[in-house]
Amino acid sequence: MEFAMGDGGDFDVPQPPQPQHQEHRPKSHKSHKKKQNVPMAPQPGERVAANIGEVNEGPGAQEWIVAVVVQYLPDELAYEVMDADEEAEKGQEQVYHLPQELVITMPRSALVRDGTNFPPGTTVLAVYPATTTFYRAVVVQQSRRQSNGEYGDFLLEFEDDGDADGLPQRPVPFMHVVRHPAAG
């Protein structure tokens, strides 16, 4: 008869004898499921989508810009970021102090293995062409894989971008599109 050791080194209740034969267990196979791309936290110098609306206009306001991470403040779970436009104009930088939930990592590359290709119908935040401001948009067409292993442009419809003829569909580079925070 065998005994199991308790937490304090004492013997516990007697255990029934264990059979001497070994059970046949199939070897575990690696999962063929695609790994979920979880973005690494943005590092100083990297570009992010930052909601400065809550700072400029108040709680719930949405004003998303392309910003550059200055530093992460782990004790506060917050970032200090600078408007990417202002980064080019040295000496006039405004640093925003934002809780981490108001900062979204932008894709670090357009490589297929690194990115998330949003399906049609997905609500995203995307940099409106020729600006550094993010606007809510809906994916019309996924980004297509190019021969160099990178994703190309998404085809998007931006909210409030229409006229009497409807919403125009605009190409936007893969690296300028992130999941909308309200979309989950």
Coordinates of all heavy atoms in Angstrom, one line a residue, residues 81-130:
V81 N 2.0 60.4 -25.2 CA 2.1 60.3 -26.6 C 2.2 61.7 -27.2 O 1.7 62.7 -26.5 CB 0.9 59.6 -27.3 CG1 0.9 58.1 -26.8 CG2 -0.4 60.3 -27.1
M82 N 2.7 61.9 -28.4 CA 2.8 63.1 -29.0 C 2.2 63.0 -30.4 O 2.4 62.0 -31.1 CB 4.3 63.5 -29.1 CG 4.7 64.8 -29.8 SD 6.4 65.1 -29.8 CE 7.2 63.5 -30.2
D83 N 1.5 64.0 -30.8 CA 0.9 64.1 -32.2 C 2.0 63.9 -33.2 O 3.0 64.5 -33.2 CB 0.2 65.4 -32.4 CG -0.6 65.5 -33.7 OD1 -0.2 64.9 -34.7 OD2 -1.6 66.2 -33.6
A84 N 1.8 62.9 -34.1 CA 2.8 62.7 -35.2 C 3.1 63.9 -36.0 O 4.2 64.0 -36.5 CB 2.4 61.5 -36.0
D85 N 2.1 64.7 -36.2 CA 2.3 66.0 -37.0 C 3.3 66.9 -36.3 O 4.2 67.5 -36.8 CB 1.0 66.7 -37.2 CG 0.3 66.2 -38.5 OD1 0.9 65.5 -39.3 OD2 -0.9 66.6 -38.6
E86 N 3.1 67.0 -35.0 CA 4.0 67.8 -34.1 C 5.4 67.3 -34.0 O 6.3 68.0 -33.7 CB 3.3 68.1 -32.8 CG 2.0 68.8 -32.9 CD 1.3 69.0 -31.5 OE1 1.8 68.5 -30.5 OE2 0.3 69.6 -31.5
E87 N 5.5 66.0 -34.2 CA 6.9 65.4 -34.1 C 7.8 66.0 -35.1 O 9.0 66.2 -34.8 CB 6.8 63.9 -34.3 CG 8.2 63.2 -34.1 CD 8.1 61.7 -34.5 OE1 7.3 61.4 -35.4 OE2 8.9 61.0 -33.9
A88 N 7.3 66.3 -36.3 CA 8.1 66.9 -37.3 C 8.4 68.3 -37.0 O 9.4 68.9 -37.5 CB 7.3 66.8 -38.6
E89 N 7.6 69.0 -36.2 CA 7.8 70.4 -35.9 C 8.5 70.5 -34.5 O 7.8 70.8 -33.5 CB 6.5 71.2 -35.9 CG 5.8 71.1 -37.2 CD 4.4 71.6 -37.1 OE1 4.0 72.3 -36.1 OE2 3.6 71.3 -38.0
K90 N 9.8 70.2 -34.4 CA 10.5 70.1 -33.1 C 10.3 71.4 -32.4 O 10.3 72.5 -33.0 CB 11.9 69.8 -33.3 CG 12.2 68.4 -33.9 CD 11.9 67.4 -32.9 CE 12.2 66.0 -33.4 NZ 11.6 64.9 -32.7
G91 N 10.1 71.3 -31.1 CA 10.0 72.5 -30.2 C 8.6 72.9 -30.0 O 8.3 73.7 -29.1
Q92 N 7.6 72.3 -30.7 CA 6.2 72.7 -30.5 C 5.4 71.5 -30.2 O 4.2 71.5 -30.4 CB 5.7 73.3 -31.8 CG 6.4 74.6 -32.3 CD 5.8 75.2 -33.5 OE1 4.7 74.8 -33.9 NE2 6.5 76.0 -34.2
E93 N 6.0 70.5 -29.6 CA 5.3 69.2 -29.3 C 4.4 69.4 -28.1 O 4.7 70.0 -27.1 CB 6.3 68.1 -29.0 CG 7.3 67.8 -30.0 CD 8.6 68.5 -29.8 OE1 8.8 69.3 -28.8 OE2 9.5 68.4 -30.6
Q94 N 3.2 68.9 -28.2 CA 2.3 68.7 -27.1 C 2.2 67.3 -26.7 O 2.0 66.4 -27.6 CB 0.9 69.2 -27.4 CG 0.0 69.1 -26.2 CD -1.4 69.6 -26.4 OE1 -1.7 70.2 -27.4 NE2 -2.3 69.4 -25.4
V95 N 2.5 67.0 -25.5 CA 2.5 65.6 -25.0 C 1.1 65.4 -24.3 O 0.7 66.2 -23.4 CB 3.6 65.3 -24.0 CG1 3.5 63.9 -23.4 CG2 5.0 65.5 -24.8
Y96 N 0.5 64.3 -24.7 CA -0.8 63.9 -24.1 C -0.6 62.8 -23.2 O 0.1 61.8 -23.5 CB -1.8 63.5 -25.2 CG -2.2 64.6 -26.2 CD1 -1.4 64.7 -27.4 CD2 -3.2 65.5 -25.9 CE1 -1.8 65.7 -28.3 CE2 -3.5 66.5 -26.8 CZ -2.8 66.6 -28.0 OH -3.1 67.6 -28.9
H97 N -1.2 62.8 -22.0 CA -1.2 61.8 -21.0 C -2.5 61.0 -21.1 O -3.6 61.6 -20.8 CB -1.0 62.4 -19.6 CG -0.9 61.4 -18.5 ND1 0.3 61.0 -18.1 CD2 -1.8 60.8 -17.7 CE1 0.2 60.1 -17.1 NE2 -1.1 60.0 -16.9
L98 N -2.5 59.8 -21.6 CA -3.7 59.0 -21.9 C -3.7 57.7 -21.2 O -2.7 57.0 -21.2 CB -3.8 58.8 -23.4 CG -3.9 60.0 -24.3 CD1 -3.8 59.6 -25.8 CD2 -5.1 60.8 -24.0
P99 N -4.9 57.3 -20.6 CA -5.0 55.9 -20.1 C -4.7 54.9 -21.3 O -5.1 55.2 -22.4 CB -6.4 55.8 -19.6 CG -7.0 57.1 -19.7 CD -6.1 58.0 -20.5
Q100 N -4.2 53.7 -21.0 CA -3.8 52.8 -22.0 C -5.0 52.3 -22.9 O -4.8 52.0 -24.0 CB -3.1 51.6 -21.4 CG -3.9 50.7 -20.5 CD -3.1 49.6 -19.9 OE1 -1.9 49.6 -19.9 NE2 -3.8 48.7 -19.3
E101 N -6.2 52.4 -22.4 CA -7.4 52.0 -23.2 C -7.7 53.0 -24.3 O -8.5 52.7 -25.2 CB -8.6 51.7 -22.4 CG -9.1 52.8 -21.5 CD -8.5 52.9 -20.1 OE1 -7.6 52.2 -19.8 OE2 -9.0 53.7 -19.3
L102 N -7.1 54.2 -24.3 CA -7.2 55.2 -25.3 C -6.1 55.2 -26.3 O -6.0 56.1 -27.2 CB -7.4 56.6 -24.7 CG -8.6 56.8 -23.8 CD1 -8.6 58.2 -23.2 CD2 -9.9 56.5 -24.4
V103 N -5.3 54.1 -26.3 CA -4.1 54.0 -27.2 C -4.2 52.6 -27.8 O -4.4 51.6 -27.2 CB -2.8 54.1 -26.4 CG1 -1.6 53.9 -27.3 CG2 -2.7 55.5 -25.8
I104 N -4.2 52.6 -29.2 CA -4.2 51.3 -29.9 C -3.0 51.2 -30.8 O -2.6 52.1 -31.5 CB -5.5 51.3 -30.9 CG1 -6.7 51.5 -30.1 CG2 -5.5 50.0 -31.7 CD1 -8.0 51.7 -31.0
T105 N -2.3 50.1 -30.6 CA -1.1 49.8 -31.4 C -1.5 49.7 -32.9 O -2.4 49.0 -33.3 CB -0.5 48.4 -31.0 OG1 -0.3 48.4 -29.6 CG2 0.8 48.1 -31.7
M106 N -0.7 50.5 -33.7 CA -0.8 50.4 -35.2 C 0.0 49.2 -35.6 O 1.0 48.8 -35.0 CB -0.4 51.7 -35.8 CG -1.3 52.9 -35.6 SD -0.7 54.4 -36.3 CE -0.8 54.1 -38.0
P107 N -0.3 48.6 -36.8 CA 0.5 47.5 -37.3 C 2.0 48.0 -37.5 O 2.2 49.1 -37.9 CB -0.1 47.2 -38.7 CG -1.5 47.7 -38.6 CD -1.5 48.9 -37.7
R108 N 2.9 47.1 -37.0 CA 4.3 47.4 -37.1 C 4.9 47.2 -38.5 O 5.9 47.7 -38.9 CB 5.1 46.6 -36.1 CG 4.8 47.1 -34.7 CD 5.5 46.3 -33.7 NE 5.4 46.9 -32.3 CZ 4.4 46.7 -31.5 NH1 3.4 46.0 -31.9 NH2 4.4 47.3 -30.3
S109 N 4.2 46.3 -39.3 CA 4.6 46.0 -40.6 C 3.3 45.6 -41.4 O 2.3 45.3 -40.8 CB 5.7 45.0 -40.7 OG 5.1 43.7 -40.6
A110 N 3.5 45.5 -42.7 CA 2.4 45.0 -43.5 C 2.6 43.5 -43.9 O 1.8 43.0 -44.7 CB 2.3 45.8 -44.8
L111 N 3.6 42.9 -43.2 CA 3.8 41.4 -43.5 C 2.6 40.6 -43.1 O 2.0 40.8 -42.1 CB 5.0 40.9 -42.8 CG 6.4 41.5 -43.2 CD1 7.5 41.0 -42.3 CD2 6.6 41.1 -44.7
V112 N 2.2 39.7 -44.0 CA 1.0 38.9 -43.8 C 1.1 38.1 -42.4 O 0.2 38.0 -41.7 CB 0.9 37.9 -45.0 CG1 -0.2 36.9 -44.7 CG2 0.5 38.7 -46.2
R113 N 2.3 37.6 -42.1 CA 2.4 36.8 -40.9 C 2.3 37.7 -39.6 O 2.1 37.2 -38.5 CB 3.8 36.1 -40.8 CG 5.0 37.0 -40.8 CD 6.3 36.2 -40.8 NE 7.4 37.1 -41.1 CZ 8.1 37.9 -40.2 NH1 7.6 38.0 -39.0 NH2 9.1 38.6 -40.6
D114 N 2.4 39.0 -39.7 CA 2.3 39.9 -38.6 C 1.0 40.6 -38.4 O 0.7 41.1 -37.3 CB 3.4 41.0 -38.7 CG 4.8 40.5 -38.6 OD1 5.0 39.4 -38.1 OD2 5.7 41.2 -39.1
G115 N 0.1 40.6 -39.4 CA -1.0 41.4 -39.4 C -2.4 40.7 -39.3 O -2.5 39.5 -39.4
T116 N -3.4 41.5 -39.0 CA -4.8 41.1 -39.0 C -5.5 41.7 -40.2 O -5.5 42.9 -40.4 CB -5.5 41.5 -37.7 OG1 -4.8 41.0 -36.6 CG2 -6.9 41.1 -37.7
N117 N -6.0 40.8 -41.1 CA -6.7 41.3 -42.3 C -8.2 41.3 -41.9 O -8.8 40.2 -41.9 CB -6.4 40.4 -43.4 CG -6.8 41.0 -44.8 OD1 -7.3 42.1 -44.8 ND2 -6.6 40.2 -45.8
F118 N -8.8 42.4 -41.7 CA -10.2 42.5 -41.3 C -11.1 42.1 -42.5 O -11.0 42.6 -43.6 CB -10.5 43.9 -40.8 CG -9.6 44.4 -39.7 CD1 -8.7 45.4 -39.9 CD2 -9.7 43.8 -38.4 CE1 -7.9 45.8 -38.8 CE2 -8.9 44.2 -37.4 CZ -8.0 45.2 -37.6
P119 N -12.1 41.3 -42.2 CA -13.1 40.9 -43.2 C -14.0 42.0 -43.6 O -14.3 42.9 -42.8 CB -13.8 39.7 -42.6 CG -13.7 39.9 -41.2 CD -12.4 40.6 -40.9
P120 N -14.7 41.9 -44.8 CA -15.7 42.9 -45.1 C -16.8 43.0 -44.1 O -17.2 42.0 -43.5 CB -16.3 42.4 -46.5 CG -15.1 41.6 -47.0 CD -14.5 40.9 -45.8
G121 N -17.2 44.3 -43.9 CA -18.2 44.5 -42.8 C -17.7 44.9 -41.5 O -18.4 45.3 -40.6
T122 N -16.4 44.7 -41.3 CA -15.8 45.0 -40.0 C -15.7 46.5 -39.8 O -15.2 47.3 -40.7 CB -14.3 44.4 -39.9 OG1 -14.4 43.0 -40.1 CG2 -13.7 44.7 -38.5
T123 N -16.0 47.0 -38.6 CA -15.9 48.4 -38.3 C -14.4 48.7 -37.8 O -14.0 47.9 -36.9 CB -16.9 48.9 -37.2 OG1 -18.2 48.7 -37.7 CG2 -16.7 50.4 -36.9
V124 N -13.8 49.6 -38.4 CA -12.4 49.9 -38.1 C -12.2 51.4 -37.9 O -13.1 52.2 -38.1 CB -11.4 49.4 -39.2 CG1 -11.5 47.9 -39.4 CG2 -11.8 50.1 -40.5
L125 N -11.0 51.8 -37.4 CA -10.5 53.1 -37.4 C -9.5 53.2 -38.4 O -8.6 52.3 -38.5 CB -9.9 53.5 -36.0 CG -10.9 53.8 -34.9 CD1 -10.1 54.1 -33.6 CD2 -11.8 55.0 -35.2
A126 N -9.5 54.2 -39.3 CA -8.5 54.2 -40.4 C -8.1 55.7 -40.6 O -8.9 56.6 -40.4 CB -9.1 53.7 -41.7
V127 N -6.8 55.9 -41.0 CA -6.3 57.2 -41.3 C -7.0 57.6 -42.6 O -6.8 57.0 -43.6 CB -4.8 57.2 -41.4 CG1 -4.3 58.6 -41.7 CG2 -4.2 56.7 -40.1
Y128 N -7.7 58.7 -42.6 CA -8.3 59.3 -43.8 C -7.2 59.7 -44.7 O -6.2 60.3 -44.3 CB -9.2 60.5 -43.4 CG -10.1 60.9 -44.6 CD1 -11.3 60.2 -44.8 CD2 -9.7 61.9 -45.4 CE1 -12.1 60.6 -45.9 CE2 -10.5 62.3 -46.5 CZ -11.7 61.6 -46.7 OH -12.5 62.0 -47.8
P129 N -7.3 59.4 -46.0 CA -6.2 59.8 -46.9 C -5.7 61.2 -46.8 O -6.6 62.1 -46.7 CB -6.8 59.5 -48.3 CG -7.8 58.4 -48.0 CD -8.4 58.7 -46.7
A130 N -4.4 61.4 -46.9 CA -3.7 62.7 -46.8 C -3.9 63.4 -45.5 O -3.8 64.7 -45.4 CB -4.2 63.6 -48.0

